[in-house]
């Protein structure tokens, strides 16, 4: 990512794959991930096999219909939806075994003033959330983790370029 004063432009890259030994079929994958609640997603790119899908902003109902139609026609497709201010779900159809699935999510975020600089939050997990009975049918109630695992082996690295003069801590 790049940081220029209080503004950050980050690209979050996730890479997944599954083996033919695990499942020999073409699958649809669901992935739920967190982003900072004050972030604005500017682009999502999904690459697998010979396919690269670039995001286009659409009304939710239209986007879901387009995704479901592509899936029925056995075409590769991707759909990103926002479940709550800081939780997103990505659905990808048409993934074959033994090919990397690379997801690049680009977003901008305004840093919170801290001392003489700014602080940026990069969440790594989606925690289970309490949902009141009167909220259970709201869209944000779907922001729960898809599965709860103990140390699934995920690893994290961060590369940040600071623009301008000054020091980084």
């Amino acid at each position: 990512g790049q940081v220029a004063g209080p503004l950050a432009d980050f690209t979050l890259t996730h890479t997944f794959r599954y083996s033919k030994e695990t499942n020999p079929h073409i699958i649809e994958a669901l992935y739920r991930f967190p982003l900072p609640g004050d972030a604005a997603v500017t682009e999502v790119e999904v690459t697998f096999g010979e396919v690269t899908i670039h995001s286009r902003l659409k009304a939710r109902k239209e986007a879901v219909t387009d995704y479901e139609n592509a899936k029925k026609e056995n075409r590769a497709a991707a759909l990103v939806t926002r479940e709550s201010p800081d939780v997103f779900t990505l659905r990808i159809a048409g993934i074959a075994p033994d090919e990397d699935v690379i997801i690049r999510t680009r977003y901008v975020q305004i840093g919170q003033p801290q001392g003489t600089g700014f602080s940026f939050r990069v969440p790594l997990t989606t925690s289970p959330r309490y949902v009141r009975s009167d909220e259970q049918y709201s869209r944000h109630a779907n922001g729960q983790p898809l599965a709860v695992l103990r140390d699934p082996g995920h690893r994290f690295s961060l590369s940040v370029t600071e623009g301008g003069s000054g020091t980084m801590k």
Side-chain angles (χ1 to χ4, degrees), residues 66-84:
D66 289 351
Y67 177 81
E68 293 298 335
N69 288 338
K71 198 168 77 165
K72 285 178 190 171
E73 296 167 6
N74 293 320
R75 291 186 289 131
L79 174 67
V80 179
T81 54
R82 186 177 189 162
E83 310 307 339
S84 66

Side-chain angles (χ1 to χ4, degrees), residues 1 3-4 12 29 47 53 56 67 90 94 115 128 133 146-147 163:
V3 176
L12 179 64
T47 303
I53 300 170
R56 283 194 4 227
Y67 177 81
L90 174 64
S133 60
L146 293 172

Side-chain angles (χ1 to χ4, degrees), residues 32 87 125-131 140-141 143-149:
R32 187 155 290 150
V87 177
T125 60
T126 303
S127 301
R129 297 154 188 247
Y130 174 75
V131 178
H140 81 271
Q144 300 290 351
L146 293 172
V148 178
L149 304 171

Side-chain angles (χ1 to χ4, degrees), residues 24-95:
H25 306 287
I26 291 176
I27 65 166
E28 174 188 23
L30 261 63
Y31 172 57
R32 187 155 290 150
F33 60 98
L35 285 178
D38 60 348
V41 175
T42 58
E43 178 183 16
V44 177
E45 177 186 281
V46 180
T47 303
F48 55 99
E50 302 288 320
V51 176
T52 298
I53 300 170
H54 295 275
S55 60
R56 283 194 4 227
L57 185 61
K58 292 183 179 183
R60 182 181 287 252
K61 191 172 183 177
E62 178 186 358
V64 169
T65 299
D66 289 351
Y67 177 81
E68 293 298 335
N69 288 338
K71 198 168 77 165
K72 285 178 190 171
E73 296 167 6
N74 293 320
R75 291 186 289 131
L79 174 67
V80 179
T81 54
R82 186 177 189 162
E83 310 307 339
S84 66
D86 59 349
V87 177
F88 293 78
T89 299
L90 174 64
R91 295 172 60 186
I92 307 169
I95 303 171

Side-chain angles (χ1 to χ4, degrees), residues 1-12 39-43 105-111 120 122 158-163:
Q2 293 189 347
V3 176
L7 186 64
D9 183 357
F10 289 135
T11 301
L12 179 64
V41 175
T42 58
E43 178 183 16
T105 305
R106 187 171 176 187
Y107 65 94
V108 293
Q109 179 183 10
I110 296 176
F120 298 92
V122 181
L158 179 66
S159 172
V160 177
T161 303
E162 189 266 337

